[in-house]
Amino acid sequence: MQKKLAKGNTIQASTRRWFPLFLGPVVAAFIIGFVWPFAQGIWLSMCNFRLISDAKFTGFDNYIKAFQDASFTHAFWYTALFAITSLVLINVLAFIVAYLLTQGLKGSNIFRTVFFMPNLIGGIVLGYIWSMIFDGVLGRMNTSILLETKYGFWGLIILMCWQQIGYMMIIYVAGLQAVPEDMIEAARIDGATKAQTLFQVTIPNVMPSITICVFLSLTNGFKLFDQNLALTAGQPFIIQPDGSNIKTTEMLALNIYNTFYSSNTTSQGVAQAKAVIFFILVAGLGLAQLAYTRNKEVQQ
């Protein structure tokens, strides 16, 4: 017994000795790669600058300009509508596909592979592929159908669903396969229908997967950039009375990018302020969603 205790104490002492050696590089990488750039980004959001070395503190002027920017406000509501619509469609369709593929269908593994493959294609490539598909099938003479706001919105929704459904399906398949078989069997013995078993037994037990998929769908919807750039580039646009324009299919990430690279001498600071607002928005929504859906999870 004493030998075991001594051996345990030796292991603990050795662990404490080498702990900083292994943890140090991770902490250093985290500070260099995230904490420092993030802190610098917050500082630059309160500065007027072209180069970091020329940054001049202006307080919250950039944030005021960001909230007064009609294009930023439009991009926020447009992105919110897109994120909610894509979240519902992606998760409903992905769950249905996953449920069907866990019912013993022949060739289910092949179907899983086929559905997952679009997720392996980059967003820029997907955007250009689908722009050619829309223009080829639904296009009009000498103009793109995506230059109409409603078609641009649904074009982005279709693209996002096509890319993300297969990925979410894999997560739902894993969740469905983890549902205790004895619970499903008990429901059948009690006379529960397939619909009752699905909604009263299966879905509550799949809530951890739903939590993950909803989180990913929500954050991906708000952060969408490359597909938006390749498919519509924010077009068409509406000219405002003051001469500025609002791109009607421009989402938040693309709006920040366009603001940063505009010709305005104060655009970099305003874009950085928009980026900080964007981070707070996405982080807040993501954490709130995680807290809500985790409360719905069943403890097995």
Side-chain angles (χ1 to χ4, degrees):
M1 184 66 180
Q2 291 180 348
K3 290 183 178 180
K4 289 182 179 180
L5 291 174
K7 185 178 180 180
N9 292 332
T10 302
I11 293 174
Q12 289 179 358
S14 178
T15 301
R16 286 194 297 268
R17 178 181 177 183
W18 295 105
F19 181 75
L21 178 63
F22 291 99
L23 184 63
V26 177
V27 174
F30 179 72
I31 293 173
I32 296 172
F34 178 78
V35 176
W36 169 245
F38 182 73
Q40 190 174 46
I42 294 176
W43 161 252
L44 290 174
S45 71
M46 295 183 285
C47 295
N48 183 11
F49 67 96
R50 275 292 180 183
L51 298 174
I52 295 177
S53 58
D54 299 330
K56 295 181 180 179
F57 183 75
T58 58
F60 291 98
D61 288 350
N62 290 329
Y63 288 91
I64 295 172
K65 291 177 182 178
F67 284 113
Q68 290 176 341
D69 186 354
S71 67
F72 184 64
T73 305
H74 172 83
F76 167 77
W77 291 112
Y78 186 83
T79 304
L81 178 61
F82 173 86
I84 294 171
T85 305
S86 62
L87 183 152
V88 173
L89 290 176
I90 288 172
N91 283 279
V92 170
L93 294 174
F95 184 85
I96 291 173
V97 173
Y99 184 76
L100 293 175
L101 293 179
T102 53
Q103 300 304 303
L105 295 176
K106 291 184 179 180
S108 59
N109 289 333
I110 297 175
F111 285 116
R112 292 179 193 179
T113 303
V114 171
F115 279 113
F116 181 77
M117 285 179 64
N119 189 70
L120 303 177
I121 305 175
I124 290 288
V125 176
L126 275 180
Y128 287 125
I129 289 173
W130 276 97
S131 66
M132 290 187 289
I133 292 173
F134 288 130
D135 291 341
V137 177
L138 303 172
R140 300 169 183 174
M141 188 65 67
N142 299 324
T143 186
S144 173
I145 194 172
L146 297 173
L147 292 180
E148 294 188 24
T149 303
K150 63 179 179 180
Y151 293 121
F153 177 83
W154 288 109
L156 286 167
I157 290 291
I158 292 171
L159 186 158
M160 193 69 168
C161 288
W162 192 74
Q163 182 184 29
Q164 294 292 322
I165 283 175
Y167 183 79
M168 303 304 170
M169 174 206 69
I170 296 297
I171 298 175
Y172 281 127
V173 166
L176 288 167
Q177 290 177 337
V179 176
E181 189 63 33
D182 56 346
M183 295 181 67
I184 296 177
E185 187 63 29
R188 291 173 182 168
I189 293 174
D190 289 340
T193 63
K194 284 189 175 182
Q196 290 173 329
T197 302
L198 174 63
F199 288 101
Q200 301 299 324
V201 178
T202 303
I203 291 180
N205 281 279
V206 182
M207 276 305 299
S209 295
I210 294 175
T211 297
I212 296 171
C213 289
V214 171
F215 176 79
L216 292 174
S217 302
L218 182 65
T219 54
N220 288 340
F222 271 94
K223 295 187 301 180
L224 191 72
F225 172 75
D226 42 2
Q227 296 92 329
N228 189 200
L229 176 64
L231 193 67
T232 69
Q235 302 296 329
F237 60 86
I238 300 173
I239 299 177
Q240 298 290 92
D242 60 358
S244 62
N245 63 73
I246 295 176
K247 294 182 177 180
T248 59
T249 63
E250 183 182 63
M251 301 180 71
L252 279 172
L254 183 58
N255 179 267
I256 295 169
Y257 172 85
N258 288 334
T259 302
F260 190 90
Y261 289 103
S262 68
S263 58
N264 194 316
T265 56
T266 62
S267 60
Q268 281 84 354
V270 176
Q272 189 61 46
K274 289 181 178 181
V276 173
I277 297 169
F278 179 59
F279 169 80
I280 294 172
L281 171 68
V282 175
L285 287 173
L287 292 174
Q289 175 266 316
L290 284 175
Y292 177 77
T293 52
R294 279 177 176 169
N295 287 334
K296 303 293 183 180
E297 294 180 8
V298 174
Q299 300 297 325
Q300 295 182 8

